[in-house]
């Protein structure tokens, strides 16, 4: 029983238009205004908003509840779900919970190791991995069945996404890993932040050589730098990040008060170049605690106005 999802994001991608998504991190408390305020800033400039799931293993308002707040505002959310914290029973249960509120986008992730977060002594679960989570969502949607074999009453209608990092080592397995996610049933990809454009374009070429760009929608991830300090931190301290020396030098070459402006300029230039890259079907803008700059980035990149229903 194959089901076409009502995801607005999927409809935009199906139409051949470049999609734009962004994301918001939930607060370390229960006040919903922390998430709704961010969403209001960007709602007219993006097609969907990801809600992160206890990112960096730090305890936060749950992704599902934050997605519901967005849904009640009339904004299309993308539920991020990590397998670190839940077994297959809880994962399926939360998928049904999202479906009960007609949340139609999901991003299936492994999750950062708990040693990076605020509860390093916490036990990780990893009952299934992110590939199996992709398969689980597709099984629940397309077959209308739980993993245990029973029928689902009103199966979830989910547009299924996954993440990809074109820059992690070893580079030669990056595209084969993408192919595995396609085979598992992923329908869209959001990539790691892109600063090394040459390497990303090589990754895209290898994906095209295998025909993967015709089987999955690839959204290129971008994150604007606020400062040269942020650029250096991401280059030296964030695993799987590739920030070329010339990018760091460019940020360092302007006065401190001009660095945020320079970071946005680099982000806009990245989008404009990758708009011409065959197989890039949109952009995922991760403006970390800097959501107020998303409208400017979208406008300057020529991605505004967004399609409306």
């Amino acid at each position: 029983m194959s089901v076409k999802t009502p995801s607005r994001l999927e409809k935009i991608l199906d139409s051949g238009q470049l999609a734009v998504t962004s994301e918001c991190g939930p607060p370390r408390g229960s006040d919903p205004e922390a998430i709704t305020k961010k969403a209001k800033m960007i709602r007219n400039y993006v097609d969907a908003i990801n809600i992160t799931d206890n990112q960096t293993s730090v305890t936060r308002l749950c992704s599902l509840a934050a997605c519901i707040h967005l849904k009640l505002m009339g904004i299309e959310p993308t539920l991020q779900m990590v397998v670190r914290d839940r077994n297959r029973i809880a994962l399926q249960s939360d998928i049904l919970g999202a479906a009960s509120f007609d949340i139609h986008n999901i991003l299936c992730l492994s999750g950062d190791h708990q040693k990076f977060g605020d509860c390093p002594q916490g036990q990780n679960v990893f009952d299934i991995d992110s590939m199996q989570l992709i398969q689980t969502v597709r099984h629940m949607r397309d077959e209308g069945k739980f993993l245990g074999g029973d029928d689902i009453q009103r199966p979830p209608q989910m547009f299924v996404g996954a993440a990809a990092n074109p820059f992690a080592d070893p580079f030669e397995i990056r595209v084969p890993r993408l192919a595995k996610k396609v085979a598992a049933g992923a329908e869209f990809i959001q990539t790691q932040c892109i600063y090394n454009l040459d390497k990303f374009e090589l990754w895209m070429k290898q994906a095209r050589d295998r025909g993967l760009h015709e089987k999955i929608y690839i959204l290129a991830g971008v994150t604007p730098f606020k400062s040269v300090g942020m650029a250096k931190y991401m280059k030296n301290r964030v695993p799987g990040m590739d920030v070329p020396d010339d990018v760091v030098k460019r940020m360092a070459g302007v006065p401190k008060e001009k660095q945020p402006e320079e970071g946005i300029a680099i982000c806009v230039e990245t989008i404009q170049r990758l708009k011409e890259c065959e197989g890039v079907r949109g952009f995922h803008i991760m403006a970390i605690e800097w959501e107020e700059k998303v409208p400017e980035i979208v406008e300057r990149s020529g991605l505004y106005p967004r399609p409306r229903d």
Side-chain angles (χ1 to χ4, degrees):
M1 53 176 292
S2 182
V3 177
K4 190 66 174 175
T5 77
S7 161
R8 185 171 167 275
L9 174 61
E10 182 179 17
K11 290 174 185 173
I12 288 169
L13 288 163
D14 277 348
S15 73
Q17 300 175 84
L18 289 172
V20 179
T21 57
S22 190
E23 67 183 42
C24 296
R28 301 209 67 204
S30 61
D31 185 354
E33 186 181 2
I35 202 80
T36 58
K37 184 178 178 181
K38 294 177 182 178
K40 286 175 184 175
M41 294 179 194
I42 62 178
R43 64 179 301 166
N44 295 323
Y45 295 85
V46 299
D47 305 312
I49 299 175
N50 287 37
I51 300 295
T52 54
D53 185 9
N54 293 319
Q55 71 271 29
T56 63
S57 296
V58 171
T59 309
R60 299 173 186 273
L61 177 70
C62 72
S63 178
L64 177 53
C67 281
I68 292 167
H69 284 297
L70 263 58
K71 186 75 179 183
L72 295 174
M73 294 168 66
I75 298 171
E76 176 153 300
T78 296
L79 175 72
Q80 291 193 186
M81 182 175 285
V82 303
V83 297
R84 177 194 61 226
D85 306 326
R86 309 169 181 83
N87 68 11
R88 66 194 68 193
I89 299 169
L91 290 165
Q92 292 177 93
S93 177
D94 283 354
I95 290 165
L96 292 182
S100 74
F101 282 93
D102 292 327
I103 292 168
H104 298 304
N105 303 314
I106 186 169
L107 193 77
C108 302
L109 303 164
S110 297
D112 301 309
H113 196 280
Q114 72 272 18
K115 69 181 180 182
F116 298 111
D118 62 339
C119 293
Q121 72 276 24
Q123 296 296 303
N124 59 34
V125 180
F126 293 113
D127 179 30
I128 60 177
D129 63 23
S130 60
M131 299 274 190
Q132 292 168 317
L133 179 58
I134 294 166
Q135 293 171 325
T136 296
V137 184
R138 288 296 300 266
H139 183 73
M140 294 173 72
R141 184 190 85 186
D142 298 343
E143 305 302 324
K145 292 182 179 295
F146 291 106
L147 291 178
D150 291 340
D151 290 337
I152 300 174
Q153 304 302 315
R154 190 178 184 258
Q157 293 181 286
M158 294 285 191
F159 183 41
V160 185
N165 186 353
F167 310 107
D169 293 324
F171 179 72
E172 56 268 20
I173 73 165
R174 294 298 103 201
V175 169
R177 185 163 174 80
L178 173 65
K180 286 183 179 180
K181 292 186 177 182
V182 173
E187 296 165 298
F188 73 97
I189 286 287
Q190 292 173 336
T191 78
Q192 174 65 283
C193 318
I194 300 162
Y195 301 106
N196 188 334
L197 275 68
D198 292 340
K199 196 167 188 178
F200 176 77
E201 288 171 342
L202 175 59
W203 180 79
M204 284 298 308
K205 180 184 182 302
Q206 292 178 355
R208 292 195 301 271
D209 288 345
R210 296 181 63 152
L212 298 177
H213 67 305
E214 296 176 341
K215 298 177 181 178
I216 196 164
Y217 298 114
I218 297 174
L219 305 184
V222 294
T223 294
F225 290 131
K226 290 182 179 180
S227 66
V228 66
M230 178 181 176
K232 290 177 178 177
Y233 181 86
M234 294 180 80
K235 176 180 176 64
N236 299 319
R237 301 288 298 277
V238 180
M241 192 73 69
D242 188 337
V243 183
D245 290 337
D246 60 345
V247 175
V248 177
K249 288 177 182 176
R250 178 173 168 182
M251 288 296 296
V254 298
K256 185 175 181 179
E257 65 274 11
K258 293 285 187 180
Q259 287 176 6
E261 184 181 322
E262 193 70 13
I264 290 172
I266 292 170
C267 185
V268 169
E269 290 166 21
T270 297
I271 292 173
Q272 290 174 334
R273 174 167 160 180
L274 295 183
K275 282 165 76 173
E276 306 304 317
C277 181
E278 182 184 356
V280 171
R281 300 300 304 275
F283 296 92
H284 181 54
I285 303 171
M286 296 167 277
I288 303 166
E289 297 301 327
W290 211 18
E291 287 84 4
E292 65 269 21
K293 294 299 182 181
V294 171
E296 179 183 347
I297 292 167
V298 173
E299 287 183 349
R300 288 176 56 182
S301 302
L303 295 169
Y304 185 81
R306 302 307 309 147
R308 290 291 161 219
D309 294 333

